[in-house]
Amino acid sequence: MEKTVFNPVFVKTKNVRNFEVMMDALELNNDEGCFGMVYGQAGRGKSRTSQWYQAHNDCVYLRIMRVWRHSELEFLRELCSKAGVIEPPGRKAAAFASIIDALVKNPRPVFIDEVEKMKPGFIEIVRDLVDATGQIFVLLGEEELVPYMQRHRRVWSRTFQQQEFAPIEIADIIMYAKESTGLKLSIDVASMLHKASEGSWRPVKRALIGMVQYANSNETRTITVKTAQMIIKSALTGK
């Protein structure tokens, strides 16, 4: 029997399709810079979707790192690097100007992930970049991103599109399991996994790895409800 493997794949869920619609709408506003906002609980695929979109389109993606979240210069230098600046300047004003130059010469959307890690002053720097470049900046984060942006009136007034990443659906799990492992989960098994996951991809992936291990050790491609209960419990609790 051919060995079952787990091959992480990207599947186009409803969240992904809505993300593409949002980006298309933002592109219509090509005469001035603006913000997009993507928010939702961790594990629903926000970062993975923006990285997938960036890989298939000419975009800039930057994830905020806690190690430099107190340094505006380090933030600007990192954004310089992601925008293609070969030698990011060592001064804030010069780094800011280099980002503008890079985005004006090569216009493209910019994704900034885990925005809630930023100190409040950073968002005003991003707003200045939006105004100076006329580009789309999409900010991603968890639920607290909404009030975070609303507290900054000038940022909120420039936010033209927003999307909440909804919990994953049973159909998403069935499709992902088939494409990543080849296993055809029954509705009952997928429903059980959906309930246990609480709408997040991460528990689903852990459970699927357990199902692949079970399938290989027992030379089967059938995951029964009883087997799924055992695997899901082990994957989510370690017991």
Side-chain angles (χ1 to χ4, degrees):
M1 181 177 178
E2 186 177 348
K3 186 177 181 180
T4 302
V5 297
F6 176 71
N7 179 32
V9 295
F10 186 83
V11 294
K12 276 198 174 186
T13 64
K14 184 177 180 180
N15 280 330
V16 176
R17 294 191 295 272
N18 287 341
F19 184 92
E20 291 182 299
V21 170
M22 181 196 73
M23 292 304 301
D24 288 343
L26 287 170
E27 292 284 0
L28 294 175
N29 186 55
N30 58 7
D31 60 336
E32 61 177 314
C34 63
F35 283 102
M37 178 177 66
V38 178
Y39 65 98
Q41 290 184 13
R44 292 185 179 176
K46 302 180 301 296
S47 298
R48 184 72 183 90
T49 299
S50 59
Q51 290 167 343
W52 167 82
Y53 189 90
Q54 183 256 346
H56 290 81
N57 299 273
D58 188 14
C59 305
V60 175
Y61 174 86
L62 172 66
R63 184 170 74 88
I64 300 298
M65 304 296 288
R66 186 168 292 275
V67 69
W68 45 256
R69 72 188 185 96
H70 293 293
S71 171
E72 294 177 352
L73 175 58
E74 289 303 314
F75 165 68
L76 289 169
R77 283 174 56 84
E78 191 67 20
L79 188 52
C80 273
S81 179
K82 298 297 184 182
V85 178
I86 303 300
E87 296 183 0
R91 294 181 297 108
K92 284 195 291 186
F96 183 86
S98 293
I99 295 167
I100 294 173
D101 186 57
L103 293 178
V104 169
K105 288 181 178 177
N106 182 11
R108 58 223 141 120
V110 178
F111 297 104
I112 301 182
D113 200 356
E114 299 193 19
V115 172
E116 59 270 24
K117 289 181 181 177
M118 296 197 306
K119 294 182 67 177
F122 282 54
I123 195 69
E124 294 299 332
I125 294 176
V126 177
R127 180 180 65 82
D128 287 340
L129 287 171
V130 168
D131 289 346
T133 63
Q135 297 307 305
I136 298 165
F137 278 67
V138 179
L139 307 185
L140 302 99
E142 297 187 27
E143 294 98 325
E144 57 264 36
L145 176 59
V146 179
Y148 176 89
M149 293 182 69
Q150 288 175 334
R151 285 194 296 270
H152 297 82
R153 181 175 55 83
R154 293 177 180 175
V155 172
W156 188 244
S157 68
R158 290 167 172 79
T159 304
F160 283 24
Q161 293 286 322
Q162 56 180 290
Q163 179 194 355
E164 179 180 10
F165 260 55
I168 61 174
E169 300 177 353
I170 294 173
D172 298 332
I173 294 174
I174 293 174
M175 177 171 60
Y176 185 79
K178 183 178 180 181
E179 295 193 17
S180 64
T181 69
L183 296 174
K184 297 180 180 179
L185 302 186
S186 68
I187 291 290
D188 289 340
V189 169
S191 298
M192 186 187 310
L193 183 49
H194 178 259
K195 182 178 180 180
S197 73
E198 297 183 339
S200 171
W201 278 113
R202 290 166 189 160
V204 171
K205 292 177 181 179
R206 290 202 301 271
L208 284 176
I209 290 172
M211 291 178 186
V212 167
Q213 292 173 323
Y214 175 87
N216 288 329
S217 62
N218 291 274
E219 297 186 341
T220 182
R221 285 184 175 273
T222 301
I223 304 296
T224 65
V225 170
K226 184 176 181 180
T227 299
Q229 286 176 328
M230 175 188 66
I231 293 172
I232 292 170
K233 180 180 179 181
S234 176
L236 301 189
T237 67
K239 299 178 181 179

